[in-house]
Amino acid sequence: MRSDRAPLWLKLAAGAGLLFLHVPILIIFAYAFTTEDKSYQWPPPGLTLQWFAVTWNRPDVWEALSLSLRVAAVSTLIALVLGTLCAAAMARFRFFGREVISLLVILPIALPGIITGISLRSAFNLADIPFSYWTIVLGHATFCVVVVYNNAVARFRRTSASLVEASMDLGANGFQTFRHVILPNIATALLAGGMLAFALSFDEVIVTTFTAGQQQTLPIWMLEELVRPRQRPVTNVVAMVVVLVTFLPILGAYYLTRGTETVAGQGK
Amino acid sequence: MPAAVEFRDVCRFFGTVRAVDRVSMEIAEGEFFAMLGPSGSGKTTCLRLIAGFEQPTHGAVRIFGQDMTGVPPYRRAVNTVFQDYALFPHLNVLDNVAYGLMVAGRGRAERRREAEAALELVQLPGYGARRPGELSGGQRQRVALARALVMKPRVLLLDETLGALDLKLREQMQEELKALQRKVGITFVFVTHDQGEALSMADRIAVFNEGRIEQIGTPEEVYNRPAKPFVADFVGSSNVLPPEVTFAVAGRRAWASLRPEAIRLVGGGRPARVLATAFLGASTRLHLEMAGLDITMLLPRGAQVPQPGETVSIGWADGDLHLMESA
């Protein structure tokens, strides 16, 4: 017989696990309010809000944040277009080498970032492409495409192919069918995939290290800042912002894809 | 006046598979035409050739005299009721029915009026605000029908439309479809593997086998005078006699068809051994062996049922043995 109540030791273990995962994040948050700026001292000797003002007035923070947002936005956009097209082809057609291509598309997210980073760097060098904003975007797009693809391909498989035929049968051309039938059916999957892609790109460090020139994305800026003993809590303020910026889209994606398990367009 | 649909030597090959193999037929305007055959016989591919989802590998499909080669589905005056209904899950019933009108750029008020009229036609008035997911199978079927009819097609294609319904609902829908066709007066082309459905609804039937048409005719012709052994067997599970047996019983060397209900137990007939019996309610089916051949017969209700192993004597009227041209 199964008991509905978990034993006490299991509850304690689960609680301890959750604490281990999340207390460090809370500590980071706490340091954003400390009065001590040379070293991390626990407990904080005093609390202050001055670091928010300091952070606000630091142009390097703004530059890094702006670069990160622009990179994430453009990589996500590229990923949305390419990932959707690729997913549509995989879900609709059978062709020679289909499984291989499917594997190749997913590979970048399974590969260690350092491999992706090194290989892209040497490829850019070989092709004489100077490191710039666009090389960062390309690097990020490699794994963003995968996230969008995975979301879209699952939705395409659950959308009945006869919906497209029904639309054409009723007089809609390819464009109208895409706009009125395909897009509404895959929209939430694209939104979820896009949000995940954005979040992944926003806090990416390893690939960025290899594909960036002189620019600093926000995570790279934070790494640099940690080794400099000056206005340390500024890093913590930025860390808080990053956590929130990353967390909200993921939460949104979760709610959007919830409850879409039924097969769209299946009539029986 | 040109035929509503005309196939002239149409082939459709998928790789080495000959899904449709040199099919020629004409479907007249206003006709209720059934394409009957087992799965994989090419009947659905023929329907898709009319709708425009497939293009012929060879030959031409004409709709009201116009060659449809290269014409996409959205430029054809035909509409389809799909096997899985294919209702748009993100739209409510009214928007589903009005979809074609919306795409054609008609005004909101007109769309609404016509869609509601179409829902009335299929006896679903007031269902406009519901989602397809909230409807039963039979209701979805009617919505799919309304969505196609609202386009006022000149030919309506129905792909195994009643297959997913339970028996009682299926019989009811058969009658409704027939009545609806008489009311709107457009050509219906209906694909089915159910011979009963084809016989009861269609004006004419094309019997498909392995990508070819074996016979085209009225239900009476196809049932009473099957042209080929396949037709005799598939439509009404007739007993098919090979030429040597026909020669032995009728003195002619040809394939022949003998309906199970045409065989009677008579004195002084041909001896047959009873292999098995099955009670069907209105009748009893006897499985017999006669001259090394398996024969099925139907015994009307009330008759004495022989036991398996017994030898009985069977006979039939001369006119009931139908001789066929060839295999």
Side-chain angles (χ1 to χ4, degrees), chain A residues 66-119:
Chain A
S66 145
L67 179 67
S68 271
L69 288 176
R70 279 184 294 136
V71 166
V74 174
S75 320
T76 303
L77 210 65
I78 293 175
L80 280 175
V81 174
L82 295 183
T84 308
L85 289 176
C86 191
M90 292 294 169
R92 285 280 180 265
F93 304 108
R94 307 253 162 267
F95 51 86
F96 178 73
R98 184 171 165 273
E99 302 306 320
V100 177
I101 291 179
S102 171
L103 185 71
L104 285 178
V105 169
I106 298 181
L107 205 57
I109 213 157
L111 274 181
I114 197 149
I115 307 279
T116 312
I118 289 177
S119 51

Side-chain angles (χ1 to χ4, degrees), chain A residues 159-174 176-182 184-185 263-268, chain B residues 48 51 53 73-74 76 78-80 82-91 96 99-100 102-104 137 140 147-148 151 164:
Chain A
T159 307
S160 160
S162 61
L163 288 185
V164 172
E165 289 189 344
S167 171
M168 307 273 255
D169 190 69
L170 292 163
N173 59 29
Q176 287 169 316
T177 299
F178 180 78
R179 167 155 152 44
H180 294 299
V181 174
I182 298 176
N185 274 299
V263 177
Q266 201 186 46
K268 283 175 221 168
Chain B
R48 295 172 59 81
F53 302 130
Y74 50 86
R76 297 185 182 210
V78 301
N79 286 106
T80 309
F82 288 84
Q83 187 171 13
D84 64 354
Y85 316 140
L87 299 181
F88 304 123
H90 60 290
L91 300 177
N96 258 286
Y99 182 85
M102 186 265 293
V103 166
R140 284 180 206 180
R147 186 177 67 174
M151 300 304 292

Side-chain angles (χ1 to χ4, degrees), chain B residues 172-191:
Chain B
Q172 184 194 338
M173 282 302 287
Q174 283 176 13
E175 282 169 29
E176 277 184 33
L177 266 184
K178 187 76 191 144
L180 190 66
Q181 196 254 347
R182 273 194 293 268
K183 191 168 168 190
V184 295
I186 58 179
T187 311
F188 276 33
V189 181
F190 189 90
V191 158

Side-chain angles (χ1 to χ4, degrees), chain B residues 14 83 98 102 115 155-156 162 195 217 219-220 241 264 326:
Chain B
F14 297 105
Q83 187 171 13
M102 186 265 293
V155 179
L156 184 74
L162 305 180
Q195 44 112 357
E220 291 80 12
L241 312 185
R264 310 239 183 287
S326 69

